[in-house]
Amino acid sequence: MAILNNIVDKSFISFNFDGKSIEDFGMTVVSNGDRLSTSIHPTFNNTISTVAGRTGSIYWGTDITGLSFIFNLATDGMSSRQLMNFKNHFKPGKIAKFSLAESEYCYAYAMINSSSTFEFIPFDTTVKINGIEYLDTIYKGEATLNFYVPDVYFYSDDKYIFADDCIDKPWMIASGLPFRTS
């Protein structure tokens, strides 16, 4: 069951990891408050020294280590099969292509950064397979996924060369792709 099949623009409420969108698991990105939140900068550490008797400090550089993305997710009907697929898909140690719906023209490689949680209420349901009804469970609840992107840069495939080719995409202007010159 996909929650967002009728929404054309899934900006800020969807992402892809290893070829699957979060809707494939019956979930969507939600906010725990009235606004969505994201990290603007990667994790970094400034190297600074002070010298006794000298005013100010000496800056040696900045070490940039990676990006973090934390997603709060919700479902109003995740099937037991979707839950098993969710657990398998978002497992520790897996590094895969990651993209945000609002900037689908670019991607990075990400991995799960910490143990995920899923708080839910289970409901009995039945499913019909080959004309036979079976007892199943659907889950309604919330989950959290925390991704780490070790290489802080996002990349793009050559299928997006000109903004004119993406005229129907809400991210066309933000992408910075050049327009064809006539």
Side-chain angles (χ1 to χ4, degrees):
M1 168 173 137
I3 295 173
L4 299 173
N5 280 340
N6 61 342
I7 297 177
V8 176
D9 179 16
K10 298 177 184 177
S11 294
F12 306 103
I13 57 173
S14 183
F15 61 88
N16 286 293
F17 180 69
D18 196 19
K20 296 211 180 257
S21 71
I22 199 62
E23 295 85 37
D24 293 337
F25 306 99
M27 302 194 94
T28 188
V29 176
V30 295
S31 172
N32 283 342
D34 59 349
R35 296 193 175 134
L36 293 169
S37 175
T38 189
S39 297
I40 294 175
H41 300 290
T43 306
F44 64 92
N45 183 35
N46 293 323
T47 304
I48 298 171
S49 299
T50 57
V51 177
R54 182 180 185 275
T55 302
S57 55
I58 301 169
Y59 168 71
W60 297 103
T62 300
D63 296 320
I64 299 173
T65 56
L67 284 166
S68 290
F69 291 93
I70 299 172
F71 294 102
N72 296 308
L73 308 168
T75 182
D76 194 31
M78 176 186 256
S79 70
S80 59
R81 173 59 60 199
Q82 286 174 316
L83 178 58
M84 295 310 295
N85 290 340
F86 181 83
K87 289 177 183 179
N88 257 347
H89 193 73
F90 298 102
K91 59 186 171 194
K94 179 180 186 179
I95 298 175
K97 201 179 242 190
F98 169 80
S99 65
L100 301 167
E102 62 270 19
S103 55
E104 69 183 32
Y105 58 90
C106 61
Y107 63 89
Y109 286 91
M111 57 198 268
I112 297 297
N113 196 33
S114 64
S115 185
S116 300
T117 59
F118 184 40
E119 298 173 4
F120 60 90
I121 299 172
F123 293 90
D124 286 337
T125 189
T126 56
V127 293
K128 194 176 250 185
I129 301 172
N130 296 330
I132 302 171
E133 283 194 7
Y134 297 94
L135 183 61
D136 196 10
T137 307
I138 60 169
Y139 301 86
K140 296 183 180 193
E142 301 170 350
T144 302
L145 283 178
N146 186 337
F147 288 97
Y148 182 70
V149 178
D151 179 358
V152 299
Y153 299 106
F154 277 71
Y155 301 94
S156 184
D157 294 325
D158 59 0
K159 69 180 179 180
Y160 299 116
I161 297 174
F162 295 105
D164 310 69
D165 299 331
C166 314
I167 206 83
D168 61 333
K169 303 290 186 183
W171 47 258
M172 179 198 62
I173 299 297
S175 73
L177 291 169
F179 286 87
R180 284 188 176 87
T181 54
S182 306

